Amino acid sequence: MAHPDIGEGIDRVDARVKVSGRAAYPTDQDHPDLAHAVLVQSTVAAGRVTALDTAAAEAAPGVLAVITHENAPELHEAPDRRATLPPPPLRGDRIVHHGQTVAVVVAETFEQATEGARLVRAAYERTDPVVDIDHPGAEHVRDPFGSDGGTGDVAAALAAAPVRVEQTYRTAVNTNNPMGPFATVASWDGDQLTVHDCTQGPSRTRADLAATLKAPQDTIRVLAPYLGGGFGSGLRTWSHTVLAAVAARRVGRPVKLVLTRKQMFTSVGHRPDTRQTLKIGATRDGRITALDHEAWQTLSMGDVNTETVARVSLSGYASPAVSARDVQVRVNVPSPGSMRAPGDGQGNFALECALDELAHELGMDPLELRLRNYAGEHPVTGQRWSSNDLRECYRVGAEKFGWSRRDPAPRSMRRGRTLVGYGMAGTSFFFYQSSCAARITVDRDGGAVVASAGMDLGTGTYTVMTQLASELLALPLGRVRMVMGDSSLPQAPSAGGSGLTGAMGSAIHAASRHLIRSFLDLVRDDPGSPLRGAGTGDVRVEDGRIVREDDGRGESYEEILTRHRLDELTAEGSAEAPGEDQPVVPTGPYAAKFAEVHVDPDLGVIRVARLVTAAHCGRILNEKTARSQLVGGTVGGIGMALLEETVTEPHTGRIANGTFGDYLIAVNADIPELDVHFVGGPDPTNPTGTKGCGELGIPGTPAAIANAVFHATGTRVRHLPITIEDVL
């Protein structure tokens, strides 16, 4: 029987701690002897450092150390070159991007460290940077993820198709821009390192630091109970985290390193830009017969970054011939990283705009075209989905939006002089779930503490895991406390890929089963227990008690512990990632997006007037936090569609708009009421039935807006962001 609080939109369990200012973020960490570190960054994008003059900085008041590539300890690359760990900092004189760290100044105070950093003088031998994805001299990395694939003879199917669409689409570089500047506080106690960090994965950051510093993992502890926003930027262990640990060891004191807003643009990743070519062949009644998707994206020099863009076309629509390929282009830009809906956000834009162009070519309703080509099974493997309610998403979304009122002719709908456009897109997000472990302890007072190293970056993990444990143990919500964000707890994956809820929920599910079994083992031969001799299949939990299924007799956790003179009982559980030998394809969430835009024909101003999302996210543990995730992602999608673009100067490689005053982010005035509806049921891939929904808000949103802009104006814009100039 479902717990009454599951699915309800209960308030976040960590809300009061946050709004009262009691939540301890990395920047809040303090020590009596805390020193401060400030980065010195390169002013060229390509070349090498020929000289570093640190004398003035070292002589400045309060400066404790200046660390450069000339005196830094050896820092190591991870043996497997994991995408979570960029190349180590300060390993040589080569410069590969503007804003690369060339020195770290450590001082008694932040102000003294800042002044010391200003006094460091660097001389460079400059070379011309490569910053453009189309640069003829750039290095290309083909099939970088081993994910290129497809089925059928695409070339032959395209040649034979009665109707063909071939277009190229571009998406801009976006920067994650969390509100909280990233910070690290590192301290050593002998060989034991403790790090407070803005990370989305304490277990991963511990492993990365161990690899970089050549230290045993059990000598490192990473703490991140709260994060001031991440959107994927906390999924890599950036150089400032490593350098904070290096600086703390150098000066023998705890060190705090906080990035400036300008440094956030060069130091914690970005969504790489893309150039994508889509070729679609179809019959005149709208059946897709061929789909070819090639995606190019930028990558920094010497780095690896996993961002599969074209794969959205391998599973999006039914077609007997499909091909998808990714290419990375090395350029002199900072290391990229995951930004909410990595790869899928860009790939979906190109695919769904191409589908809209095909619908226009056929004179067919864009919704009908998608329904006609719904993939009832995986187009490449032929396997059935674990669950897929995309059809229901289309139906509910269209009904709530009022899609039937759409006049199909471009420029046909107006409100006064304002042009009105309706656009839509289908979307999904890839399935991701890693191995995870959790521990549950129940004490003699009948309360439970649930612990796992994973962290809550603001998505509501504290809340939904508390709800889930409350259900599994049949305890009131107030009797369950969730402890997270500490690498010393049972290992957990990073909060990313919309996979933490499924992974941690499965681990807590296993731990709760093991805990019930441990209680039953305690009373197996206990003549005073009504549960004597019962197995796990003979009982259920209700009202904080374990009771027999047959006669309802049982006792509480407190009664068992008290009689056996135990203060507490603990059990651990783990969940493994689903194997590739599954009879079905584990699927992530699905959604249909419907957008209404208003365009001023004289000024070219584009406003999103309405946006409806109908989503299949499996079992919803908390409707309030789930809706919040889709709303937040949709806001990011509006920004991606109309506002956000990180501009790099072509001749210098410098980011030209690296401030909140110049980088445009959606604000309240840009956002209409966002309507979200959940459809479908639980997914059987994990015992909790969840799919995750944190990133589903972005894919589909830019395409729906772009398609609505075409419907409003008759002008097809094939790049993001769409600007005033594009529609004038």
Side-chain angles (χ1 to χ4, degrees), residues 145-191:
F145 323 114
S147 61
D148 288 5
T151 186
D153 188 336
V154 175
L158 281 170
V163 181
R164 290 186 295 274
V165 167
E166 177 178 351
Q167 295 294 347
T168 296
Y169 304 87
R170 291 176 178 263
T171 63
V173 173
N174 294 164
T175 300
N176 305 56
N177 276 315
M179 287 295 291
F182 271 29
T184 303
V185 178
S187 60
W188 292 86
D189 182 2
D191 289 332

Side-chain angles (χ1 to χ4, degrees), residues 247-262:
R249 171 155 274 182
R250 175 66 58 88
V251 301
R253 291 166 56 175
V255 167
K256 176 184 287 188
L257 196 164
V258 182
L259 298 180
T260 65
R261 179 57 57 185
K262 182 179 179 181

Side-chain angles (χ1 to χ4, degrees), residues 336-421:
S338 295
M339 185 172 174
R340 204 169 190 173
D344 283 36
Q346 304 99 305
N348 176 273
F349 166 71
L351 175 62
E352 291 298 314
C353 285
L355 262 287
D356 201 71
E357 297 208 48
L358 177 62
H360 183 70
E361 183 74 19
L362 293 166
M364 180 178 290
D365 186 322
L367 175 58
E368 175 58 31
L369 177 67
R370 287 164 174 82
L371 287 168
R372 195 163 294 189
N373 291 282
Y374 168 81
E377 59 187 23
H378 195 288
V380 176
T381 68
Q383 294 171 283
R384 62 184 177 86
W385 310 113
S386 60
S387 63
N388 183 341
D389 277 311
L390 182 56
R391 282 184 180 275
E392 184 68 1
C393 293
Y394 286 138
R395 186 191 68 79
V396 171
E399 178 185 315
K400 298 295 183 181
F401 181 80
W403 181 257
S404 62
R405 298 193 298 269
R406 177 183 185 265
D407 185 325
R411 299 184 69 91
S412 61
M413 297 176 66
R414 291 178 179 263
R415 182 169 298 174
R417 282 188 49 76
T418 300
L419 299 171
V420 176

Side-chain angles (χ1 to χ4, degrees), residues 400-449:
K400 298 295 183 181
F401 181 80
W403 181 257
S404 62
R405 298 193 298 269
R406 177 183 185 265
D407 185 325
R411 299 184 69 91
S412 61
M413 297 176 66
R414 291 178 179 263
R415 182 169 298 174
R417 282 188 49 76
T418 300
L419 299 171
V420 176
Y422 284 7
M424 59 84 57
T427 188
S428 64
F429 190 73
F430 62 83
F431 171 85
Y432 169 73
Q433 182 178 313
S434 288
S435 301
C436 185
R439 180 172 63 238
I440 302 178
T441 300
V442 171
D443 61 30
R444 196 184 288 192
D445 293 331
V449 176

